[in-house]
């Protein structure tokens, strides 16, 4: 085995996603397994260069993980010819500027979603990347979750017959931050800082719906800020200016209807933090992050509506668990591996900045639909 190093500037790795999912669960996990086996006698060895604004936080992070390279000077890191890839998990509002610089410096780019605050910005990044001829990718981690991979397997196997509808329920209670600390950063609740559940979650729903069921052709959304006052990381009260719940209906190419509730203001009475129920003519499924249960038409009960007597059947017990039949890796790591293979071996990769722009478009149109109180068509995104 020969070892080939790929140097990755990782910006925003002191944050929630950058640290846990991208640095620890993806890049460091790859190093723990000896690097990425490229299958051609070569191993790709990712070498992270931590980038950020706060020197003490970066140094502490590097020391904690036995890493030696970190910098608060993004321009200098981008000017370093030995750096191959720029990765961005900063707050969303800082993303466009940094990625624009990285593209200009000729780095390959891998980034968290949403790629920009609006469609115009997202398309501009995709255009610049195309012009420069760099390789680019956008995180679409939900596609790599075991539950959704099982759902995809069911679709590919023809389990559903014609798919009629998809109902998604995403959410949990995010504490206000006064008597218990909030478990999400406060910028998520301020529109002026790039926050809001539509901007956060609609990009995910766009690629999940598109890749599994069909492109979204129209959106109708209602949004709310149910909790108007929260407390930040310093314990200071602030006004929540962004939406913390979104109720969306999406028409899909092929005719299915999707309805997805997204909320940081609901309490969970579900098996997982997100669940999608898919109903088809031949069967139905409920998929979560990890699990997936099915009910075939042949095993579908025939309940009769009668509120005068207690329920006679245990409906939840009438479903069957879909077996794993495979080993599932962390979804973020699985997508990183494909991106690294794209960079190293030129393998195809379609979760790129143009795909990312579709997610930004759906968020933009979702918010506009809510503001205008009407359903909006979703035109196909092209460069
Ligand atoms: N793929 C997913 O499932 C998923 C989930 C949550 C968040 N995200 C995305 O990941 C990104 C980071 O979210 P997070 O929850 O980790 O946020 P976070 O607040 O925990 O981390 C943000 C990072 O950006 C840095 N930062 C903060 N303010 C900055 C500024 N003004 N300029 C430059 N850098 C700044 C912070 O130091 C930190 O490293 C967001 O774009 C978010 O949309 C993706």
């Amino acid at each position: 085995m020969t070892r080939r190093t790929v140097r990755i500037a990782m910006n925003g790795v002191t944050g929630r996603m950058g640290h846990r999912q991208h640095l620890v669960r993806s890049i460091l996990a790859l190093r723990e397994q000896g690097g990425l086996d490229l299958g051609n006698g070569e191993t790709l060895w990712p070498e992270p260069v931590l980038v950020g604004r706060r020197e003490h936080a970066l140094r502490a992070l590097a020391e904690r993980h036995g890493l030696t390279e970190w910098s608060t000077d993004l321009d200098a890191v981008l000017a370093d010819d030995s750096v191959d890839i720029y990765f961005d998990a900063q707050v969303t509002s800082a993303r466009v500027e940094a990625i624009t610089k990285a593209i200009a410096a000729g780095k390959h780019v891998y980034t968290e979603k949403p790629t920009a605050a609006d469609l115009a910005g997202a398309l501009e990044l995709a255009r610049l990347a195309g012009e420069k001829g760099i390789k680019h990718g956008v995180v679409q981690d939900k596609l790599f979750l075991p539950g959704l991979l099982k759902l995809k397997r069911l679709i590919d196997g023809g389990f559903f017959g014609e798919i009629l509808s998809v109902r998604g329920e995403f959410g949990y209670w995010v504490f206000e931050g006064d008597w218990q600390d909030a478990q999400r950063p406060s910028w998520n609740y301020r529109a002026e800082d790039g926050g809001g559940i539509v901007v956060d979650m609609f990009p995910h729903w766009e690629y999940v719906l598109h890749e599994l069921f069909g492109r979204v052709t129209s959106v109708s959304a209602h949004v709310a800020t149910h909790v108007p006052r929260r407390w930040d990381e310093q314990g200071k009260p602030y006004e929540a200016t962004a939406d913390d719940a979104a109720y969306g209906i999406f028409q899909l190419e092929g005719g299915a209807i999707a309805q997805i509730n997204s909320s940081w203001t609901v309490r969970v009475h579900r098996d997982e933090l997100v669940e999608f129920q898919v109903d088809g003519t031949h069967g139905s499924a409920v998929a979560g992050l990890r699990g997936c249960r099915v009910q075939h038409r042949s095993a579908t009960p025939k309940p009769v509506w009668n509120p005068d007597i207690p329920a006679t059947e245990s409906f939840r017990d009438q479903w069957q668990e879909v077996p794993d039949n495979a080993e599932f890796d962390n979804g973020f790591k699985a997508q990183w591996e494909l991106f690294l293979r794209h960079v190293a071996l030129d393998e195809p990769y379609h979760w790129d900045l143009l795909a990312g722009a579709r997610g930004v478009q759906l968020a933009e149109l979702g918010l506009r639909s809510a503001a205008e109180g009407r359903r909006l068509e979703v035109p196909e995104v092209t460069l």
Side-chain angles (χ1 to χ4, degrees):
M1 279 279 193
T2 51
R3 186 152 136 174
R4 189 165 146 191
T5 297
V6 59
R7 281 165 59 77
I8 309 170
M10 301 188 75
N11 198 359
V13 275
T14 59
R16 233 165 39 105
M17 299 310 293
H19 179 230
R20 187 174 295 279
Q21 296 301 341
H22 294 286
L23 183 64
V24 176
R25 303 290 311 274
S26 298
I27 298 303
L28 296 182
L30 270 174
R31 287 159 66 101
E32 267 161 37
Q33 73 181 41
L36 176 63
D37 183 353
L38 292 176
N40 60 355
E42 284 184 310
T43 301
L44 197 65
W45 181 252
E47 199 61 76
V49 181
L50 310 185
V51 183
R53 300 161 306 151
R54 293 171 298 147
E55 189 168 348
H56 65 281
L58 284 177
R59 186 185 305 117
L61 189 63
E63 279 170 7
R64 176 146 37 115
H65 296 296
L67 299 169
T68 52
E69 294 191 79
W70 50 268
S71 172
T72 55
D73 188 344
L74 175 62
D75 292 337
V77 171
L78 292 177
D80 179 347
D81 283 340
S82 72
V83 170
D84 305 284
I85 297 173
Y86 171 74
F87 167 69
D88 195 298
Q90 297 185 94
V91 288
T92 306
S93 54
R95 182 154 299 136
V96 166
E97 188 187 340
I99 292 182
T100 304
K101 282 186 190 176
I103 294 172
K107 306 301 176 197
H108 303 303
V109 168
Y110 189 57
T111 179
E112 261 296 351
K113 46 50 66 181
T115 54
D118 55 27
L119 177 60
L123 279 175
E124 177 65 3
L125 289 182
R127 194 186 60 75
L128 290 173
E131 266 175 25
K132 195 77 179 177
I134 55 137
K135 296 195 164 79
H136 43 104
V138 178
V139 174
Q140 302 202 338
D141 53 290
K142 306 292 176 271
L143 293 175
F144 301 88
L145 288 168
L148 293 202
L149 288 170
K150 290 177 197 170
L151 197 50
K152 176 87 169 75
R153 195 199 287 157
L154 292 171
I155 294 168
D156 292 347
F159 170 78
F160 293 104
E162 184 195 345
I163 292 179
L164 307 172
S165 64
V166 181
R167 280 188 297 126
E169 193 68 40
F170 163 85
Y172 47 92
W173 189 265
V174 177
F175 280 92
E176 298 88 331
D178 49 352
W179 66 292
Q180 293 193 56
D181 288 345
Q183 68 271 42
R184 295 186 64 94
S186 58
W187 66 266
N188 283 181
Y189 302 91
R190 292 189 294 264
E192 61 276 24
D193 291 335
I197 202 163
V198 169
V199 167
D200 195 53
M201 296 314 296
F202 276 31
H204 289 300
W205 305 151
E206 192 284 327
Y207 65 73
V208 166
L209 294 173
H210 190 158
E211 297 234 349
L212 268 62
F213 307 104
R215 192 181 78 78
V216 177
T217 57
S218 86
V219 55
S220 172
H222 190 93
V223 305
T225 306
H226 289 302
V227 175
R229 186 174 154 93
R230 290 178 176 271
W231 281 258
D232 69 11
E233 290 75 4
Q234 281 71 47
K236 270 182 39 200
Y238 65 95
E239 190 194 346
T241 49
D243 42 290
D244 56 18
Y247 310 87
I249 299 177
F250 310 91
Q251 285 183 296
L252 308 182
E253 218 158 55
I257 309 291
Q259 183 210 317
I260 305 182
N261 292 328
S262 316
S263 179
W264 289 319
T265 53
V266 287
R267 298 185 176 85
V268 180
H269 186 72
R270 270 174 261 133
D271 292 329
E272 305 205 50
L273 295 192
V274 65
E275 283 185 346
F276 296 95
Q277 172 156 344
V278 182
D279 289 294
T281 49
H282 289 187
S284 297
V286 177
L289 301 168
R290 305 194 65 83
C292 184
R293 280 156 290 149
V294 289
Q295 185 168 92
H296 190 253
R297 67 198 295 219
S298 59
T300 302
K302 193 188 280 184
V304 177
W305 178 261
N306 185 355
D308 297 331
I309 55 168
T312 51
E313 302 182 71
S314 176
F315 293 111
R316 291 170 78 93
D317 293 336
Q318 293 164 344
W319 295 65
Q320 196 184 354
E321 196 68 40
V322 175
D324 284 356
N325 287 0
E327 282 204 17
F328 299 108
D329 210 343
N330 174 286
F332 290 87
K333 175 166 174 270
Q335 201 189 347
W336 260 108
E337 290 186 2
L338 293 174
F339 183 70
L340 291 174
R341 297 181 70 85
H342 175 53
V343 169
L345 302 172
D346 211 16
E347 286 183 0
Y349 190 89
H350 67 272
W351 305 288
D352 59 8
L353 284 167
L354 190 60
R358 281 199 300 264
V360 174
Q361 177 200 39
L362 191 62
E364 188 171 292
L365 291 175
L367 284 173
R368 197 190 309 158
S369 156
E372 297 176 5
R374 64 194 181 99
R375 187 174 77 208
L376 295 177
E377 298 301 313
V378 180
E380 223 165 321
V381 168
T382 49
L383 276 181

